[in-house]
């Protein structure tokens, strides 16, 4: 793996390669991009290229430093992230980092630390890191990865060189999926639902029976008007168990109603679920724009309730009952 494996971020890669080549690596970077855009991968490949003994602007994949990176045991590279069971990066983790940072590198002439997700540092952790960002040891580079730089302290942002990643084109993601062995129709659907995020597309294709589960949910939605209470309980049970395994149920639900809205407004090209086009068109005819928008709001509300630990079954049952009759909302 090298910079070639970073999809659709040519501009960012060129900036970073140039800095490695000219020996002008910054002491602090901020990579900002939405989830799945490849920022973790970019940071890793950047570090690997900077450590490589053979190549000046990329990684060779075979020198000792490259192999240590690939085996995740390079002593001069470390990622600080949220510990299991916690919800934020704590001040203790940053204190530990500051202790380590003082030691000289082992296998190369510099050290790289990644903090991800940087916006999840506690206030105390962020303030503590600030001092290090002001005066880092000459051999240290810290890369902050964030989905939202607006959630970071402005004083932290201003001390970092900012690298913005771009949204990846649908065609690029589709090509990637075709190369992974998906057929044209499946690749088209997933490249659209991934919305510019190759990481999300790759996550979806790792899910067992993704298309079967999707079919079950969409076959339910297309006839939701005629579903009885028992059928609503059944689909709720299914969705609850899928959510537990990390299946993107809410994305599927909102994609469905978003498609109906697009059809209603004659934006057929943008429809994701082309394989359900006829069903979506029928629903677009029956539902008013107001009903569709309300349905999308209900889905978002339900997702938020579940994130706030309100009972999943209850929240989903209510959602499906309401989606069945959006006109009575
Ligand atoms: Zn190498």
């Amino acid at each position: 793996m090298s910079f070639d494996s970073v999809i659709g971020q040519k501009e960012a890669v060129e900036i970073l390669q140039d800095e490695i080549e000219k020996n002008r690596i910054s002491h602090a970077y901020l990579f900002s991009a939405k989830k799945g855009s490849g920022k973790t991968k970019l940071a890793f490949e950047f570090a690997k290229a900077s450590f490589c003994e053979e190549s000046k602007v990329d990684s060779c994949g075979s020198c000792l430093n490259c192999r240590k990176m690939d085996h995740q045991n390079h002593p001069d590279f470390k990622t600080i992230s949220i510990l299991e069971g916690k919800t934020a990066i704590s001040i203790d983790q940053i204190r530990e980092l500051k202790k380590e940072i003082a030691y000289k590198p082992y296998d190369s002439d510099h050290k790289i630390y990644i903090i991800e997700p940087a916006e999840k540092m506690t206030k105390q952790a962020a303030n503590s890191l600030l001092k290090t960002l002001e005066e880092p040891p000459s051999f240290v580079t810290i890369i902050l990865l964030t989905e939202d730089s607006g959630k970071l302290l402005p004083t932290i942002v201003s001390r970092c060189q900012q690298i913005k990643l771009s949204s990846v084109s649908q065609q690029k993601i589709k090509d990637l999926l075709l190369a992974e062995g998906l057929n044209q129709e499946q690749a088209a659907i997933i490249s659209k639902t991934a919305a510019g995020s190759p990481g999300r597309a790759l996550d979806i294709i790792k899910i067992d029976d993704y298309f079967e589960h999707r079919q079950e949910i969409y076959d339910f939605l297309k006839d939701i008007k005629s579903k009885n209470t028992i059928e609503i309980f059944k689909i709720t049970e299914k969705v609850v168990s899928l959510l537990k395994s990390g299946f993107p149920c809410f994305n599927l639900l909102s994609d469905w109603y978003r498609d109906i809205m697009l059809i209603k407004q004659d934006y057929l090209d943008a429809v994701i679920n082309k394989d359900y086009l006829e069903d979506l068109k029928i629903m677009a005819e029956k539902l008013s724009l107001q009903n569709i928008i309300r349905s999308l709001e209900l889905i978002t509300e339900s997702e938020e309730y579940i994130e706030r630990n309100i009972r999943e079954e209850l929240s989903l049952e209510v959602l499906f009952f309401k989606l069945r009759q959006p006109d009575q909302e």
Side-chain angles (χ1 to χ4, degrees):
M1 289 290 169
S2 63
F3 276 124
D4 285 346
S5 62
V6 180
I7 297 152
Q9 303 297 346
K10 196 163 165 265
E11 214 173 305
V13 167
E14 278 172 5
I15 293 171
L16 295 171
Q17 283 190 310
D18 189 54
E19 295 187 1
I20 299 173
E21 192 175 12
K22 295 190 174 134
N23 229 339
R24 267 197 228 139
I25 298 181
S26 299
H27 287 301
Y29 289 95
L30 175 62
F31 290 5
S32 57
K34 61 183 179 184
K35 197 172 189 274
S37 308
K39 55 185 177 309
T40 314
K41 178 136 201 60
L42 179 65
F44 176 84
E45 294 302 339
F46 172 57
K48 192 173 160 192
S50 78
F51 291 135
C52 179
E53 301 150 44
E54 293 297 323
S55 164
K56 198 131 179 63
V57 292
D58 205 342
S59 48
C60 71
S62 50
C63 71
L64 189 62
N65 273 316
C66 281
R67 279 184 283 141
K68 285 192 175 174
M69 282 299 282
D70 284 338
H71 294 129
Q72 292 170 356
N73 61 3
H74 198 296
D76 302 326
F77 178 76
K78 193 174 178 183
T79 299
I80 289 102
S81 51
I82 301 171
L83 296 172
E84 216 175 301
K86 301 282 168 122
T87 54
I89 295 173
S90 70
I91 184 158
D92 286 342
Q93 287 176 275
I94 299 299
R95 282 188 184 135
E96 186 67 25
L97 164 79
K98 290 166 85 167
K99 247 189 251 168
E100 265 184 49
I101 263 179
Y103 297 112
K104 292 229 160 80
Y106 292 94
D107 281 350
S108 54
D109 57 1
H110 62 289
K111 304 207 281 188
I112 295 186
Y113 290 88
I114 291 176
I115 301 181
E116 179 186 26
E119 71 273 24
K120 292 284 185 183
M121 280 186 284
T122 63
K123 210 173 168 200
Q124 295 92 325
N127 275 316
S128 172
L129 179 71
L130 194 56
K131 295 201 186 81
T132 305
L133 289 177
E134 278 165 3
E135 290 169 352
S138 61
F139 47 79
V140 166
T141 291
I142 296 173
I143 307 178
L144 303 178
L145 307 185
T146 184
E147 278 176 44
D148 184 359
S149 56
K151 287 186 183 158
L152 291 169
L153 292 177
T155 39
I156 285 199
V157 176
S158 68
R159 277 171 184 76
C160 298
Q161 181 185 341
Q162 292 197 55
I163 305 276
K164 281 210 167 66
L165 277 74
S166 39
S167 194
V168 181
S169 79
Q170 220 176 79
Q171 188 57 48
K172 280 219 170 82
I173 297 178
K174 193 178 167 193
D175 291 345
L176 170 77
L177 296 170
L178 291 171
E180 291 283 330
L182 266 71
N183 66 35
Q184 284 283 347
E185 187 182 57
Q186 292 175 334
I189 292 167
I190 294 183
S191 63
K192 280 187 176 172
T193 194
S197 161
R200 188 167 159 204
L202 291 173
D203 280 346
I204 290 175
I205 64 169
K206 273 188 223 136
I207 299 172
D208 287 337
D209 306 322
Y210 174 82
F211 282 96
E212 284 81 354
H213 296 314
R214 170 180 174 273
Q215 187 181 354
E216 203 171 325
I217 292 172
Y218 283 173
D219 284 350
F220 175 88
L221 284 182
K222 71 179 187 186
D223 293 323
I224 190 164
K225 265 251 161 295
S226 65
K227 298 295 178 190
N228 63 33
T229 304
I230 290 171
E231 286 167 310
I232 286 182
F233 286 162
K234 238 181 97 187
I235 195 78
T236 298
E237 204 180 314
K238 163 99 189 172
V239 170
V240 167
S241 84
L242 283 176
L243 281 173
K244 285 201 169 74
S245 69
F247 191 85
C249 296
F250 283 108
N251 290 337
L252 282 184
L253 295 175
S254 45
D255 282 351
W256 179 266
Y257 284 94
R258 184 178 164 275
D259 279 352
I260 297 174
M261 188 167 70
L262 291 168
I263 292 169
K264 193 100 186 152
Q265 317 250 12
D266 273 331
Y267 288 115
L268 274 149
D269 280 350
V271 168
I272 293 176
N273 300 295
K274 286 264 164 66
D275 51 339
Y276 280 92
L277 192 59
E278 290 315 310
D279 301 300
L280 291 163
K281 277 183 181 168
I282 293 169
M283 285 187 83
E285 257 168 50
K286 287 181 184 160
L287 292 173
S288 70
L289 191 58
Q290 215 176 358
N291 291 160
I292 301 165
I293 291 168
R294 183 64 195 134
S295 300
L296 280 162
E297 285 170 354
L298 289 167
I299 293 164
T300 311
E301 278 170 22
S302 177
E303 187 173 12
E304 285 169 2
Y305 288 147
I306 290 175
E307 273 170 14
R308 296 210 308 263
N309 291 322
I310 303 215
R311 269 184 52 209
E312 290 179 337
E313 287 86 355
L314 182 66
S315 171
L316 285 164
E317 278 161 21
V318 172
L319 172 65
F320 289 124
F321 280 120
K322 285 183 173 176
L323 288 178
R324 188 172 66 174
Q325 290 164 309
D327 43 337
Q328 288 178 24
E329 261 296 302

